[in-house]
Amino acid sequence: MAQDRTNPRLVLRGIVKRFPGVLANDHVDLEVYRGEIHALLGENGAGKSTLVKIIHGVLAADEGEILWEGEPVAPRNPAEARALGVGMVFQHFSLFDSLTVAENVQLAMDGARDLEVIAKRVRDVSAHYGLSIDPERHVHDLAVGERQRVEIVRCLMQNPRLLIMDEPTSVLTPQEAEDLFKVLRRLADEGVSVLYISHKLAEIRVLCHQATVLRAGKVVGTQDPRTCSSKDLARMMIGDDLAALERRAPKVSGAVRLKVDNLSMASDTPHGVDLRHVSLEVAAGEILGIAGVAGNGQNVLLSALSGEHHAARGESVRIEGKPVGHLGPRERRDLGLAVVPEERLGRGTVPELSLADNALLSSYGKGNLVTRGFVDHERSHGLAEHIITLFGVRAVGAKAAARSLSGGNLQKFIIGREILQNPTLLVASQPTWGVDAGAAAAIHRALLDLRDKGAGILVISQDLDELFAISDRIAVICAGRLSEARPAHEATLEQVGLMMGGLFDPPEPGGSVSGGPESRGMEVLS
Amino acid sequence: MNGRSVGFLTLEPRAHASRHWVWGAPLLAVALTLVVGAILFAALGKDPIAALVGFFITPLTSAYGLAELGVKAAPLAMIAVGLAVGFRANVWNIGAEGQLTMGAIMAGGFVLSVNHLSGFWILPLAVVFGALGGALWAAIPAWLKTHFNANEILTSLMLTYVAQLLLNWLVHGPWRDPAGFNFPESEVFSPSATLPILWEGTRLHLGVAIAVIAVLAIWVLLSKSFLGFQIKVMGLAPRAGAYAGFSLRKVVLTVLPLSGALAGMAGFFEVAGPIGQLQPAISPGYGFTAIIVAFLGRLHPVGILFAACFMALTYLGGESVQMFMGLPLAVTGLFQGMILFFLLGADVLIRFRIRIGAPRPGKAA
């Protein structure tokens, strides 16, 4: 181990960053040593991203100082940070789809270099760290895990002494994450410092040497994550113990709420993933979880179920036995469907409009909110107030604009709005993505309560912990194909992880034997 | 990030756009127009105060002037509320001038065919024909948009010139008054097809009252009806509208003909009111000026009523300074242009701030 705990490579002292109305970083101190993998842990909104943006020169701190190898520095932009030896791999990749790997790397190098030389360097670097990247391939052909490797290699070409990784495993399967950890450990052994941002406690405990926990912009403590339990870290992160989710066995009555039969649908975005021969069933009183890495057809599946996109055959989607493939959202809602889309602002709600108007947005068919073409504003206002109190939404009232709410509160509002329509079938995509732990627990509670009342629920999520916590059965979507669903208590994290990489035989239409996974799914594993 | 930069000036988005300034901007634009207008008058060698008084006050000091204000504000307000409904839904009807012309043609054609008759039924029916003409003319860009995704800004604007040429041909040819000494004009409309005067001794006609009613009706539509709600949602967040099950197609096929109908009615009111017959020029650009009125009124019916009165005043003021001070009629266009320029500028500065110097590193690039 090349850790050297005498001279810290990076020291932050009393970093303060204010945004209008928010203190994003409140006198943050941090020390990162040579060869150390240092976790920056905290909930969404705790100030992690702001802090690394300051280190990376994207933002300037209002107060405090940064010491790099003992010298005070103030990088004014990412190029200056790069010159110091700070590299960053972002959560959202910044690659050009239509260029090759080598061309993308060339663009990031200061000063144009010969493409041949770069391609050779890419090969050398990737071979050295076991990253397996072909510099000649086009980025749009690469799977998400491979794109991340390109980002990492691009960073490593600059010989960084500090590598910042922002939530790197949120787009990876558990197996891909394990490969990434090997690379990071190897870099640490060579003396590179790694600042690892995450809110996943399990991976921090196996990977990191130190963990600094941020809450509401302040450092609440620095711990060796290998010696303290996940529970301790969670308590530091949330500031409270989370009530364990209590679950009752499902009371499946046998009524089929939703039946999807051999549904194929083209994506409406270029480079989007098409839905291919998807079949599934959701029974009354159960939660079916659909796992999968983002961008594997979840968006098309949701709009095919919600009615935003019509299916070619009406019978390929059935709600309560009725073919609805040709029906729009309104007609499907009348049959008992409620939908929670992934994007809260701009799809689940209209950002500029009040909560009262946003309550009306999907509830207009119910509760006499609209009579003879006129909106009963008193009723929609009352409905919004009802949602706010019943689901503990923190908002100044029904007149508050949707965009003035935090992500978690807005999501509670949307979930509440959908649940109050007494749906017999609820389809929810990423119900707790970016939501703080307290709100996530409340949302899970609400979903389980709805299930216990006899509704069928379909949850699409990237978060395996969430799916294992609330689902009765789990299926996996990869490259637009859906696996057979299996009972959640029989499935293991490892199995589901492998399936997320495309390693499953999709149920074939007409009962013919399948010829194994297609090449696109396999690429992810290679 | 969203910063835009021209040379050493950078526009940076503000964290919060002030709500007060949403209504403050039009007032500021009016004030700036007056100041620059004064400078302009001074540069033309006129006493700026006297010229401004002549432009903005003198027309309002007589009964005739006040009535004329109503006569000119009515078509502006009626067209502008129709446009505002579309603009709120992100449907950009720029061709209200053409729809106005088409309304006048349809209604005028009907009136000329029954011009020898009299009866109370002629006028309401002619109003319906006017609305229909405008609505059908606006339905063309609507249909082109929903079926071919053709940009309604271009198609509605181009159809304006088609309508004007059609009117020109009609009054020069088939509809020319045989007893009209070869002037390109139709017969004068019969009293049954002429709008009654509401205020004796002025030109204030029934159309002005109907325009006020139309503005109020649109106000109710926008603020109370479910259709108004759908229009708002579609304009602000089309994906949320699709999620809710609203149809963009339906909204386009509703709002474009609706704004066309209002413009068409305004067109008939012009020919059946102040003009009394079909002529090659029936509107001093009301259809285009109404676009400025809609924005000056913040796309809100009440705001539009005030904005229409102000813009009507620029027409009257232009005529007044032309008559009494010998200034060119182009002053009207200048004032209208300045108003729009300052309003757009103020709107940009509500959402952005100007910073002198190159874009801040990493922030704007």
Side-chain angles (χ1 to χ4, degrees):
Chain A
M1 189 124 319
Q3 269 189 77
D4 166 6
R5 302 202 64 84
T6 49
N7 294 313
R9 172 160 283 155
L10 173 75
V11 178
L12 302 185
R13 276 203 204 123
I15 295 289
V16 175
K17 180 70 191 177
R18 293 181 198 88
F19 291 114
V22 205
L23 193 54
N25 287 154
D26 186 0
H27 295 93
V28 173
D29 297 322
L30 179 74
E31 290 184 0
V32 183
Y33 291 86
R34 220 175 105 75
E36 179 185 61
I37 305 182
H38 194 118
L40 200 53
L41 189 62
E43 294 208 275
N44 287 291
K48 296 169 294 182
S49 300
T50 306
L51 193 64
V52 297
K53 278 181 186 161
I54 291 170
I55 301 171
H56 197 229
V58 177
L59 295 173
D62 295 331
E63 286 172 33
E65 62 173 346
I66 306 173
L67 298 180
W68 178 257
E69 310 276 14
E71 299 287 319
V73 293
R76 282 175 303 169
N77 54 48
E80 288 191 13
R82 255 201 313 274
L84 290 173
V86 180
M88 178 149 178
V89 176
F90 290 93
Q91 196 176 353
H92 302 285
F93 305 143
S94 47
L95 298 172
F96 292 95
D97 274 353
S98 52
L99 300 182
T100 66
V101 171
E103 285 165 342
N104 266 290
V105 173
Q106 186 187 32
L107 278 173
M109 308 287 272
D110 298 327
R113 294 233 218 125
D114 184 34
L115 209 54
E116 289 292 309
V117 179
I118 285 171
K120 184 170 178 316
R121 282 264 289 140
V122 169
R123 270 192 209 95
D124 293 347
V125 171
S126 51
H128 181 73
Y129 292 102
L131 282 163
S132 76
I133 292 175
D134 179 356
E136 313 297 335
R137 282 184 67 190
H138 283 90
V139 168
H140 61 78
D141 288 334
L142 301 181
V144 180
E146 292 174 297
R147 290 181 196 206
Q148 187 180 54
R149 275 179 247 157
V150 176
E151 290 263 357
I152 295 172
V153 166
R154 189 164 72 171
C155 256
L156 294 181
M157 304 264 300
Q158 326 259 354
N159 297 317
R161 283 178 286 169
L162 172 69
L163 186 64
I164 304 173
M165 307 279 304
D166 188 4
E167 307 254 356
T169 55
S170 61
V171 293
L172 302 181
T173 67
Q175 284 78 11
E176 288 177 304
E178 196 45 58
D179 290 341
L180 172 70
F181 296 164
K182 283 188 194 133
V183 174
L184 295 180
R185 288 195 189 101
R186 169 131 201 199
L187 281 165
D189 284 345
E190 292 175 0
V192 176
S193 310
V194 178
L195 194 56
Y196 188 90
I197 303 167
S198 182
H199 60 257
K200 293 184 184 169
L201 304 171
E203 61 183 45
I204 282 173
R205 294 190 61 228
V206 302
L207 178 70
C208 300
H209 308 124
Q210 279 291 322
T212 294
V213 184
L214 283 180
R215 189 169 74 228
K218 284 194 186 119
V219 174
V220 282
T222 300
Q223 294 273 342
D224 183 340
R226 293 164 298 186
T227 59
C228 59
S229 69
S230 289
K231 214 175 160 191
D232 293 339
L233 288 173
R235 196 178 301 122
M236 284 173 78
M237 192 163 93
I238 299 154
D240 199 2
D241 278 313
L242 273 184
L245 207 56
E246 181 197 331
R247 293 200 48 179
R248 286 173 292 268
K251 287 180 288 184
V252 181
S253 67
V256 176
R257 299 294 194 203
L258 171 70
K259 186 174 165 63
V260 176
D261 177 34
N262 195 17
L263 172 73
S264 295
M265 187 179 284
S267 164
D268 60 346
T269 52
H271 298 300
V273 172
D274 303 339
L275 220 51
R276 289 190 275 164
H277 309 298
V278 166
S279 298
L280 62 86
E281 263 186 36
V282 182
E286 72 158 351
I287 297 181
L288 173 67
I290 294 187
V293 174
N296 272 286
Q298 289 96 328
N299 293 339
V300 193
L301 179 60
L302 186 87
S303 19
L305 295 180
S306 72
E308 285 155 87
H309 284 175
H310 291 191
R313 291 182 306 123
E315 313 81 57
S316 52
V317 182
R318 286 173 187 270
I319 294 175
E320 305 287 337
K322 289 194 185 65
V324 297
H326 291 319
L327 300 184
R330 168 79 198 255
E331 290 82 2
R332 296 190 199 194
R333 280 181 180 273
D334 289 346
L335 289 170
L337 173 71
V339 180
V340 178
E342 186 181 338
E343 307 96 313
R344 282 155 216 163
L345 286 171
R347 186 157 166 208
T349 61
V350 182
E352 294 84 355
L353 293 185
S354 68
L355 292 181
D357 279 350
N358 274 302
L360 182 65
L361 184 69
S362 73
S363 311
Y364 60 87
K366 308 247 159 61
N368 294 326
L369 289 173
V370 179
T371 37
R372 286 195 215 101
F374 284 89
V375 177
D376 189 331
H377 285 292
E378 230 163 87
R379 281 213 170 111
S380 62
H381 191 92
L383 173 62
E385 292 285 3
H386 191 48
I387 298 170
I388 289 170
T389 45
L390 209 57
F391 290 86
V393 179
R394 262 177 287 162
V396 290
K399 288 204 167 73
R403 68 164 160 214
S404 70
L405 270 65
S406 73
N409 277 304
L410 188 59
Q411 185 70 347
K412 280 198 274 185
F413 179 83
I414 296 174
I415 300 243
R417 176 185 74 190
E418 299 303 304
I419 285 179
L420 279 188
Q421 294 173 31
N422 290 321
T424 52
L425 172 65
L426 176 73
V427 177
S429 181
Q430 320 294 356
T432 60
W433 183 80
V435 167
D436 65 71
I443 288 168
H444 288 156
R445 185 73 266 149
L447 292 178
L448 285 172
D449 286 346
L450 184 67
R451 177 199 77 158
D452 291 344
K453 279 197 256 166
I457 301 180
L458 182 88
V459 174
I460 302 172
S461 179
Q462 292 182 66
D463 185 344
L464 288 183
D465 296 338
E466 166 173 84
L467 290 179
F468 275 100
I470 63 169
S471 308
D472 300 304
R473 291 187 300 139
I474 290 185
V476 174
I477 191 167
C478 180
R481 299 169 309 130
L482 190 73
S483 78
E484 207 103 54
R486 57 178 70 187
H489 59 86
E490 286 175 19
T492 64
L493 200 63
E494 196 198 354
Q495 280 175 342
V496 173
L498 286 171
M499 286 158 74
M500 281 163 75
L503 211 65
F504 61 82
D505 293 335
E508 277 298 303
S512 67
V513 182
S514 117
E518 291 170 42
S519 62
R520 173 145 194 173
M522 289 299 288
E523 273 171 24
V524 186
L525 277 180
S526 62
Chain B
M1 285 177 214
N2 290 328
R4 267 156 243 181
S5 118
V6 183
F8 58 92
L9 288 181
T10 306
L11 280 183
E12 278 183 355
R14 289 178 196 269
H16 297 285
S18 160
R19 280 187 72 82
H20 302 296
W21 276 106
V22 170
W23 288 96
L27 297 178
L28 180 69
V30 169
L32 284 171
T33 304
L34 295 183
V35 171
V36 177
I39 296 171
L40 208 86
F41 284 134
L44 287 169
K46 310 283 175 192
D47 174 5
I49 301 300
L52 281 183
V53 168
F55 197 94
F56 288 105
I57 310 290
T58 313
L60 298 180
T61 51
S62 66
Y64 175 83
L66 281 174
E68 278 305 289
L69 188 76
V71 168
K72 295 208 158 49
L76 287 175
M78 197 153 75
I79 299 169
V81 279
L83 294 181
V85 172
F87 293 169
R88 286 199 179 200
N90 261 338
V91 176
W92 303 98
N93 179 7
I94 303 299
E97 185 78 4
Q99 291 138 27
L100 175 152
T101 307
M102 218 50 201
I105 291 175
M106 277 276 273
F110 164 73
V111 165
L112 292 176
S113 69
V114 296
N115 218 14
H116 54 286
L117 301 173
S118 65
F120 68 92
W121 51 272
I122 292 179
L123 203 53
L125 214 55
V127 175
V128 170
F129 270 101
L132 206 63
L136 288 176
W137 207 239
I140 300 172
W143 184 79
L144 290 173
K145 185 178 175 69
T146 55
H147 281 75
F148 302 106
N149 201 22
N151 187 322
E152 74 278 11
I153 298 177
L154 291 176
T155 50
S156 64
L157 179 63
M158 291 192 290
L159 282 169
T160 296
Y161 304 107
V162 178
Q164 279 171 348
L165 289 171
L166 182 64
L167 175 65
N168 238 322
W169 172 70
L170 286 170
V171 294
H172 278 93
W175 289 358
R176 185 168 55 190
D177 182 3
F181 308 105
N182 257 346
F183 279 107
E185 291 169 350
S186 75
E187 286 172 32
V188 173
F189 290 180
S190 73
S192 293
T194 307
L195 290 165
I197 295 295
L198 296 180
W199 186 359
E200 268 327 306
T202 70
R203 300 202 298 169
L204 196 76
H205 54 80
L206 184 64
V208 180
I210 295 177
V212 174
I213 293 169
V215 170
L216 294 178
I218 295 290
W219 190 12
V220 173
L221 173 92
L222 283 177
S223 62
K224 300 261 184 274
S225 78
F226 188 53
L227 176 64
F229 178 71
Q230 295 183 45
I231 287 169
K232 247 191 300 190
V233 169
M234 275 311 189
L236 291 170
R239 282 163 55 73
Y243 160 76
F246 306 156
S247 151
L248 180 64
R249 220 177 96 85
K250 262 188 220 160
V251 167
V252 170
L253 289 175
T254 308
V255 298
L256 265 171
L258 176 70
S259 58
L262 286 166
M265 270 163 69
F268 172 65
F269 291 164
E270 281 310 293
V271 293
I275 300 172
Q277 62 187 157
L278 286 180
Q279 294 176 346
I282 53 173
S283 149
Y286 286 142
F288 294 117
T289 309
I291 298 171
I292 307 177
V293 171
F295 282 106
L296 197 61
R298 309 273 87 171
L299 305 184
H300 190 287
V302 175
I304 284 172
L305 222 39
F306 284 106
C309 290
F310 180 81
M311 291 306 272
L313 192 54
T314 62
Y315 282 113
L316 294 182
E319 284 170 16
S320 147
V321 294
Q322 185 187 18
M323 282 188 281
F324 300 115
M325 307 186 79
L327 285 168
L329 190 60
V331 170
T332 297
L334 244 158
F335 270 84
Q336 293 183 351
M338 280 197 290
I339 270 281
L340 185 63
F341 174 81
F342 287 125
L343 181 68
L344 294 177
D347 275 349
V348 168
L349 291 177
I350 289 174
R351 292 189 297 115
F352 297 89
R353 75 176 94 239
I354 292 182
R355 226 170 38 74
I356 295 173
R360 200 178 288 165
K363 190 93 210 256

